[in-house]
Every structure is written in structure tokens, then in C-alpha cells.
Amino acid sequence: MKKFLAAAAVSTAFVLAVSAQNSIVDESNPETVGNDSAMQALREVSLDKFEREGSWGVHISPDYGVISARLFEGSPAMKEPLEEDEGNEDADTLVLGVKVEFFRRGINSFYITSQRPIPVEGITKTVSVWVCGRNQDHDLFLLVEDYFGRSYELYLGNLGFSGWKKLTCVIPPTPDGEHGIVQSSPYYGDRPGLRIVGFRVDCDPLLARGAYYVYFDDLRAVTDLYDMEYRDEDDMADNW
């Protein structure tokens, strides 16, 4: 009898393990991030093309070094335009360049922030940006605010590569609508719930010396606009 119960327990554990394995979500795919319903209307939208002088600011502690930023002509060769931008490629010709001159090696960080936080409509699934990292092992983070104005940082990737590369991070769904990155709430209207604040670069202490250059272009998001696109025409907006 004991042998039979032990075998049954092992069999049950195996079934549960297989079921759990089959339920793993591929978080790199926006269609599966927080997907608990078939009702989705995913759209890739442009948040900023880094074409306006003075729209982004830079900061580093004056104890660590000096930082500056300006726009340059250029664009990633592998970047694919959005459908609504096809035929207007001439309007997207600039990138944001950031230069840091370090005083000495150390544990340093610097910031690239939008002069005004960028709101994203709908429920954001992923955020991406093209970066030219100059093959230095510094780490790039995305800085965001959620529906309630709480600040979060999300890891975008390591900058140890040459040339342009598209870096993408997943916006993790809230488990209960109260904790984590909350993007909507039935109690506080229907204003956009996620805002992009900017980026932070955490420098490798051994490499934070001399001058470092990094470039940014084409900040985008994949967002679920189902509630907005399928709202009835006679339905009022809860934004008053």
C-alpha cells in the first residue's frame, strides 16, 4: 500500500511539473506579457525619435565627472520604420549623443532624462530603444513612473557591444492591481498609466575613466490599446 501511494505521489508531482513547464510565458514576446485574455490590440508606437534639441537633459554628480549632450545626424541602418512613418524617413535623421568625461575611476552613474515625462497610452508591454554603446561594459536601465507616480527602474541591457543595437525590456504586469507597476485602475479614471522618465547608466568601475560616448535613437513601446480602440462611440471618458 505504501509503495502504491509513493508511486501515485511521484506520478502526480511529474504531471504538475509538466503542466507548470508548459505554462511558462515567453516574456520577450509582447503578446504573452500579462496575457490573461484574448482581448488585445497590440500596437507598436513611437515615443520619441530624438529629433528636438533640448528635449532631453543629462546629469552626473560633479564629483564624478562632466557630462554633455547634443544631437547628431545619423540613424541605425537596421531600424525599420513604423507603418505610419513610411515615406517620411527624411523627418527622422538625428540621434542623441551623450559624452561623459570622468575625473577618476569609481562606482559612477549618469542620467539621461526627458524634460517632461513621456506618457504611454494603453497597457504597455515592452519598451525599446536603439543604442550605440561603444563596447563598454556599462549597464543601461529604463526609468519609469506607474499610474500612481511611483518610480521604477527596469534593466535594458549591457552596453558592451559595438555599433547600434536595439535594447528591449518587458514591463511586468501587476499581480493584483495594487502592487508592482500599476498601469490602470478602475478607481481613478482612464488617464495613461505609464510614463517614461529616462535612462540611467551604471558604469563599470574599472572602465569609468577618460571619455565615454553613447548614442540613442527611436524610443518605442508595444502597447495594448484594446480598451481605447474598442470603446463604444457613445461611451463617456472618465477623465473629468
Side-chain angles (χ1 to χ4, degrees):
M1 183 63 179
K2 292 183 178 179
K3 292 183 178 180
F4 174 79
L5 292 177
V10 171
S11 177
T12 302
F14 175 78
V15 171
L16 292 176
V18 171
S19 299
Q21 185 175 7
N22 291 336
S23 65
I24 292 177
V25 175
D26 179 12
E27 292 191 346
S28 63
N29 183 356
E31 295 183 359
T32 65
V33 178
N35 183 13
D36 55 3
S37 170
M39 297 186 298
Q40 290 196 107
L42 297 182
R43 300 288 185 272
E44 186 174 23
V45 297
S46 175
L47 302 179
D48 197 284
K49 294 183 172 67
F50 299 94
E51 298 290 312
R52 301 184 303 275
E53 191 74 54
S55 59
W56 289 81
V58 291
H59 172 74
I60 188 173
S61 170
D63 295 331
Y64 296 158
V66 177
I67 190 170
S68 58
R70 52 166 291 195
L71 298 180
F72 291 88
E73 290 189 1
S75 182
M78 296 178 292
K79 182 178 67 174
E80 297 182 359
L82 296 174
E83 183 177 350
E84 59 266 25
D85 293 333
E86 292 182 358
N88 297 320
E89 288 80 4
D90 293 341
D92 184 11
T93 59
L94 302 178
V95 301
L96 176 68
V98 179
K99 176 184 178 181
V100 181
E101 298 173 273
F102 296 106
F103 291 155
R104 58 186 177 273
R105 290 179 178 175
I107 302 176
N108 305 324
S109 298
F110 61 91
Y111 296 82
I112 305 98
T113 55
S114 177
Q115 297 293 357
R116 185 173 298 175
I118 303 171
V120 188
E121 294 183 330
I123 303 299
T124 306
K125 302 292 186 175
T126 64
V127 176
S128 65
V129 64
W130 283 89
V131 184
C132 188
R134 288 295 182 262
N135 201 24
Q136 298 281 354
D137 284 330
H138 306 316
D139 291 316
L140 180 66
F141 292 84
L142 178 71
L143 307 178
V144 302
E145 292 180 350
D146 75 350
Y147 191 90
F148 299 111
R150 298 177 298 200
S151 298
Y152 294 90
E153 57 185 50
L154 301 169
Y155 183 65
L156 270 166
N158 185 269
L159 301 179
F161 55 86
S162 298
W164 287 98
K165 183 178 181 181
K166 184 180 181 181
L167 300 180
T168 303
C169 69
V170 169
I171 308 299
T174 173
D176 55 7
E178 296 291 339
H179 302 86
I181 302 179
V182 179
Q183 297 193 53
S184 64
S185 173
Y187 307 108
Y188 300 98
D190 59 358
R191 57 186 171 84
L194 189 75
R195 291 177 293 279
I196 307 298
V197 176
F199 308 94
R200 190 187 75 236
V201 178
D202 290 348
C203 302
D204 186 312
L206 297 179
L207 302 177
R209 60 171 182 159
Y212 175 65
Y213 300 84
V214 61
Y215 301 86
F216 297 86
D217 192 33
D218 205 19
L219 178 64
R220 297 183 183 182
V222 175
T223 180
D224 181 9
L225 300 175
Y226 183 88
D227 289 338
M228 302 179 65
E229 293 189 355
Y230 292 93
R231 177 187 292 271
D232 292 336
E233 294 181 0
D234 57 354
D235 193 359
M236 290 70 67
D238 298 333
N239 57 6
W240 51 279

